[in-house]
Every structure is written in C-alpha cells, then in structure tokens.
Amino acid sequence: MDIPRIFTVTESAHRIHNPFTPEKLATLGAVLRLEPGTRVLDLGSGSGEMLCTWARDYGITGVGVDMSRLFSAQAKRRAEELGVDDRVEFIHGDAAGYVAAEKAGVAACLGATWIGGGVAGTIELLAKSLLPEGILLIGEPYWRQLPPTEEVAGECLAGSISDFLMLPELVGSFGELGYDVVEMVLADQEGWDRYEAAKWLTMRRWLAENPGDDFAKEVRVLLTSEPRRHVTYTREYLGWGVFALMAR
Ligand SMILES: C[S@@+](CC[C@H](N)C(=O)[O-])C[C@H]1O[C@@H](n2cnc3c(N)ncnc32)[C@H](O)[C@@H]1O
C-alpha cells in the first residue's frame, strides 16, 4: 500500500507537506493552548512534523496514520531525532475509516480531506475519535480569487472550480455542519512557495541521480513546467488554512 510515486519523488525532502511554514505550524500549536499530555490524532500525518514538534514544544502525545511508506518512515526518524518517539506513534496505513481506540483531545486532517470523502465526511470521521469538548483541525484549500474558467481551476490542480470554496463560504460551511470555528491559521504566498518551490530542487537533484529511471521523463516535464504554473496559478488563486472546530 502506498501513494502515487510522483509525490514520493517530489516531496521526499519536505518535512511539512502543505503550505504551512514551521512558524505557522508552531503558531497553530500555540493558539490551540494545548495542555501537556493532550492526545492528538493526525490522519494523513505525512512526515510527522506536526506531531513531533508539538510533542517537543507542547508536550502532547499522539498517533499519526499515513499511507506513504516513505513519509511514515521519515516521521518515525523525525520522532527519534527530536527525542519524542516515546510520545508519538506513526502507523503506515489507509486512514479512511480509521477510528482511534483511545479518544483524542485534538483530531486533525491537514491537507488530506479526501480520506473522509471531503470536508464533511472527514469531520464526521474525526469526530468518532474525539473526546467531548475536543478540537477538530481541518486543513483545506480555498480560493483567494475565484478562477474565471474551469481551465484556470485545472491549472491550480483542482478538479473543478466547485472543488473549493471562497474563504467566507468555507468558514460558513463549518457552521452549517454544526461546528463553531474557534481558531484558524492561514498560510500565505510565502508558504505556498516553500511547499511548491522545494519540490523543484528535489526534482532537479533526483533527475541528476536517476537519469535512466522510467519516471525521469515525467519528472523532467514537471520540473520544466511547474515553476511557471505555480506563479501564474496556484500562488495567485489558492489559499490554504487550518480551521479549529468545536461541536456546537
Ligand atoms: C498534502 S499531504 C499532508 C501531509 C501532512 N498532513 C502535512 O501537512 O505535512 C497528504 C498526505 O496524505 C497522505 N495520504 C493520502 N491518502 C491517504 C490515505 N488514504 N490514508 C492515509 N494517508 C493518506 C499522503 O501520504 C500525504 O502524506
């Protein structure tokens, strides 16, 4: 079981697989006023940076589930590196339908809401693992500007304009699902650059090291087109944020 290989190539050097910088991730942990010992569940935990740094900085414990073999291994290594491997656990597996045996004070899905079939389904899934009065975290893109055409939405790597909402509509949608938005931290264009531009150097070096790989042609095409695509489309049209929710 694994994710498509392209992500393992382009994001192999990422610690954070979303448009948050380390500062934004730390801000998110701080604004949640996490008590030491709070249990955090993270579905689609990537390379584990949120759980590992929050265990180090805020004394949380936690479990992450991720379908990438590489990212799960990186998460375990990061936990050891930060000396928190006794407090955080990483499970390599499909998080769809995952319900924690021990309920959490914070249950998160940052940038992987397809795990629950969309935002509403992911909230429903996370809620099954949450203690009463616990906090859900949803990391999700939104449109900074509405794309004028479906083609532009496609260039932002969205399936269609309707895949994402504008920020006021996204925030409002949580209320319609019966949740209060109790905090939020938004990424910015610098964060998008860190997420996207970091892939370019990784691809360039991967190509130099793997010239004969079957995948090299695909990576070459991406490296040639991605910088211009990013600055024209994703950087201008897409926002991203993490929304902290509590049931009404
Ligand atoms: C955009 S990344 C976000 C990772 C992490 N939350 C972060 O912010 O660094 C999406 C993650 O979801 C994982 N993923 C994709 N499908 C999954 C599934 N069905 N179950 C668990 N993880 C999945 C990928 O391996 C990847 O790590």
Side-chain angles (χ1 to χ4, degrees):
M1 180 195 303
D2 215 329
I3 59 171
R5 188 176 174 210
I6 190 65
F7 300 110
T8 341
V9 171
T10 59
E11 299 189 26
S12 60
H14 283 56
R15 279 204 177 126
I16 301 173
H17 304 264
N18 71 52
F20 260 16
T21 57
E23 293 75 23
K24 293 272 182 187
L25 205 52
T27 298
L28 179 63
V31 300
L32 294 177
R33 305 172 206 168
L34 296 164
E35 297 285 341
T38 300
R39 191 168 173 80
V40 180
L41 172 69
D42 189 9
L43 300 187
S45 45
S47 298
E49 193 67 3
M50 183 176 84
L51 288 180
C52 291
T53 54
W54 287 7
R56 177 193 64 190
D57 300 338
Y58 306 117
I60 61 110
T61 65
V63 177
V65 184
D66 199 281
M67 202 149 95
S68 162
R69 196 173 292 281
L70 174 72
F71 300 165
S72 302
Q74 289 181 165
K76 284 181 190 164
R77 274 205 301 279
R78 184 69 171 145
E80 286 162 18
E81 190 179 290
L82 296 187
V84 295
D85 48 321
D86 56 338
R87 271 179 277 159
V88 293
E89 181 193 354
F90 292 100
I91 299 167
H92 171 237
D94 189 348
Y98 183 89
V99 178
E102 194 179 334
K103 290 198 189 301
V106 175
C109 181
L110 271 51
T113 51
W114 56 84
I115 284 173
V119 170
T122 299
I123 288 176
E124 209 176 301
L125 173 63
L126 290 172
K128 292 180 185 162
S129 297
L130 197 66
L131 288 165
E133 290 300 286
I135 294 180
L136 296 182
L137 297 178
I138 294 288
E140 185 70 2
Y142 58 87
W143 295 119
R144 293 178 65 225
Q145 320 173 38
L146 205 60
T149 63
E150 288 293 345
E151 286 69 31
V152 170
E155 293 286 358
C156 297
L157 309 183
S160 82
I161 297 173
S162 63
D163 278 6
F164 305 126
L165 300 172
M166 298 289 286
L167 184 58
E169 282 71 44
L170 179 58
V171 167
S173 72
F174 297 123
E176 286 157 23
L177 293 170
Y179 284 84
D180 288 321
V181 179
V182 296
E183 254 297 355
M184 71 173 191
V185 178
L186 302 182
D188 55 20
Q189 285 172 306
E190 161 66 13
W192 271 114
D193 295 345
R194 297 282 49 75
Y195 181 37
E196 295 296 329
K199 298 176 189 175
W200 310 336
L201 181 58
T202 303
M203 285 194 275
R204 181 64 182 75
R205 289 194 169 153
W206 184 91
L207 281 170
E209 285 160 16
N210 301 276
D213 194 290
D214 287 350
F215 214 50
K217 217 162 142 187
E218 190 174 325
V219 173
R220 179 70 252 171
V221 168
L222 266 187
L223 176 57
T224 306
S225 57
E226 274 297 284
R228 192 181 171 103
R229 187 201 62 76
H230 168 65
V231 299
T232 312
Y233 298 107
T234 301
R235 193 175 202 280
E236 293 306 311
Y237 286 93
L238 264 188
W240 196 87
V242 177
F243 303 89
L245 313 173
M246 290 178 76
R248 281 184 181 153

